Each structure stands twice: as structure tokens, then as C-alpha cells.
């Protein structure tokens, strides 16, 4: 059975807690970067950050600016390298942020050697809007971070509840929920207020 309090859902199997899920936004907040042909001088093909900001605004949030202290992987010649020293702290802060009701905008590397963002690694933006922690015997055994991806015209893909990032070798990784299912590596997090 499930118990929902605010934006948090507790799932139980018999009397044992099996997972905790938090959603900071709904699929109604999803906005595709292709919702407009032109985003104040930016072509729709390059408007992922502007679409993410529009999504966040629609839910009442704003994103902080880039900070090198929130980059979580090293630059490997324009591609995502290993998790860096910031990663454990930033991922802990991300979890805390989601549990307190705040999403985050994330830069992801999905096209190696085509970096265009401030972290010099990422080439696409997504909004991390939810978290599910799986629990067994009172211990967290796994975590999925859910995200909205503006890189598609179709909300059933961009706001797909199965679009998740998972921890792998200290990095958050996943795949695009549409098209060629490109691999994503989160390169930096921009927390929201």
C-alpha cells in the first residue's frame, strides 16, 4: 500500500517500507524546447536551457547560475570524465534539495567532444524533478532520480516517469527517454530556489 503526504509517497510491502518517492513538479510543468521556433533569439534546436528555465518557472522555481563547485565530473577533453571531489557533496545536496521540495537543472554530456556549457563538458540541459529511494530492512539500497527532458516535442517522452538517472562510479548516468536513447552523464547541478 502507499501513503502520500504532500509531494512524498511512502510505499509499503506488508508492514515494511519498500520505497520513498518525492516529486517536486508534475507532468503539467513539462515544456519542450520545440514549443517555440524561437526563444528570444535562440533556435528551438539549441533552447534546452531556456525550456528548462520555462519549466521551472511554470512550477514557481528559478535556477541558480553555474558554479564550478557544483560540477560533479572532470573534463576529459570536452567529455565527461571521472566523478570529481565535489560529487559526493553535490549528490547529497541534490537529494536534500529534492526532499525539501526543490528540483534542480542539470547539465548533461550526451555528445562527447561537443561541450558548449559553462562547465565545458555538458551539451544539453534537463530538470531533475524527483527521487525514489528503495528501502530494505530500513536501509536505502538504491536511488533513482527522475527527470524532465525538453529535447523532444512529445510530453509522453519528455515527462516520462521511467526517465531516471542512477549512480554509477560516483556519477549520475541515464539515457535520453526518446529517439536514439543517447547516454547521459550529469556534469553539473544548478540548484533551484
Amino acid at each position: 500500500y502507499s501513503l502520500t503526504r504532500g509531494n512524498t509517497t511512502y510505499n509499503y510491502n506488508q508492514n515494511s517500507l519498500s520505497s520513498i518517492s518525492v516529486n517536486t513538479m508534475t507532468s503539467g510543468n513539462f515544456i519542450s524546447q520545440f514549443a517555440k521556433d524561437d526563444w528570444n533569439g535562440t533556435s528551438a534546436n539549441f533552447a534546452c536551457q531556456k525550456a528548462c528555465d520555462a519549466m521551472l518557472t511554470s512550477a514557481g522555481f528559478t535556477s541558480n547560475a553555474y558554479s564550478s563547485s557544483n560540477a560533479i565530473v572532470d573534463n576529459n577533453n570536452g567529455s565527461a570524465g571521472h566523478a570529481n571531489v565535489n560529487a559526493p557533496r553535490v549528490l547529497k545536496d541534490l537529494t536534500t534539495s529534492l526532499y525539501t521540495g526543490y528540483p534542480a537543472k542539470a547539465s548533461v554530456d550526451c555528445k562527447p567532444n561537443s561541450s558548449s556549457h559553462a562547465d565545458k563538458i555538458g551539451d544539453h540541459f534537463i530538470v531533475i524533478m524527483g527521487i525514489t529511494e528503495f528501502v530494505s530492512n530500513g536501509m536505502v539500497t538504491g536511488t533513482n532520480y527522475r527527470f524532465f527532458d525538453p529535447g523532444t516535442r512529445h510530453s509522453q517522452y519528455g515527462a516520462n516517469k521511467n526517465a531516471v538517472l542512477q549512480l554509477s562510479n560516483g556519477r549520475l548516468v541515464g539515457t535520453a527517454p526518446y529517439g536514439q536513447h543517447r547516454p547521459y552523464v550529469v556534469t553539473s547541478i544548478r540548484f533551484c530556489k
Side-chain angles (χ1 to χ4, degrees), residues 2-188:
S2 297
L3 173 67
T4 301
R5 294 282 187 252
N7 63 358
T8 305
T9 301
Y10 303 89
N11 293 306
Y12 291 86
N13 184 1
Q14 297 297 332
N15 290 329
S16 297
L17 182 64
S18 59
S19 69
I20 303 168
S21 294
V22 176
N23 290 310
T24 62
M25 298 168 67
T26 68
S27 60
N29 299 121
F30 173 77
I31 297 173
S32 167
Q33 69 191 63
F34 301 101
K36 302 178 184 181
D37 291 332
D38 181 82
W39 292 75
N40 298 327
T42 302
S43 161
N45 288 335
F46 302 100
C48 56
Q49 180 169 330
K50 290 185 177 186
C52 285
D53 289 340
M55 277 189 250
L56 293 168
T57 299
S58 77
F61 303 105
T62 57
S63 162
N64 290 332
Y66 170 76
S67 166
S68 61
S69 67
N70 290 339
I72 64 171
V73 297
D74 290 325
N75 187 337
N76 183 21
N77 297 320
S79 299
H82 297 290
N84 65 29
V85 297
N86 298 329
R89 174 191 49 80
V90 175
L91 294 174
K92 180 180 176 193
D93 291 349
L94 174 61
T95 299
T96 300
S97 180
L98 291 165
Y99 269 102
T100 55
Y102 292 92
K105 183 169 63 176
S107 175
V108 298
D109 182 29
C110 61
K111 300 175 194 167
N113 303 313
S114 67
S115 58
S116 60
H117 298 153
D119 62 14
K120 304 299 182 205
I121 312 166
D123 40 41
H124 186 57
F125 282 99
I126 60 173
V127 172
I128 301 174
M129 48 63 64
I131 184 172
T132 296
E133 291 189 300
F134 301 96
V135 180
S136 179
N137 296 323
M139 301 290 291
V140 174
T141 58
T143 305
N144 286 347
Y145 295 88
R146 287 182 306 288
F147 64 93
F148 288 165
D149 190 330
T152 177
R153 297 178 191 279
H154 308 286
S155 63
Q156 72 266 28
Y157 299 120
N160 183 335
K161 66 181 179 178
N162 296 318
V164 297
L165 302 165
Q166 296 178 319
L167 196 60
S168 175
N169 295 320
R171 309 182 311 173
L172 278 181
V173 299
T175 56
Y178 54 86
Q180 302 156 343
H181 301 286
R182 295 179 304 213
Y184 282 173
V185 177
V186 173
T187 59
S188 63

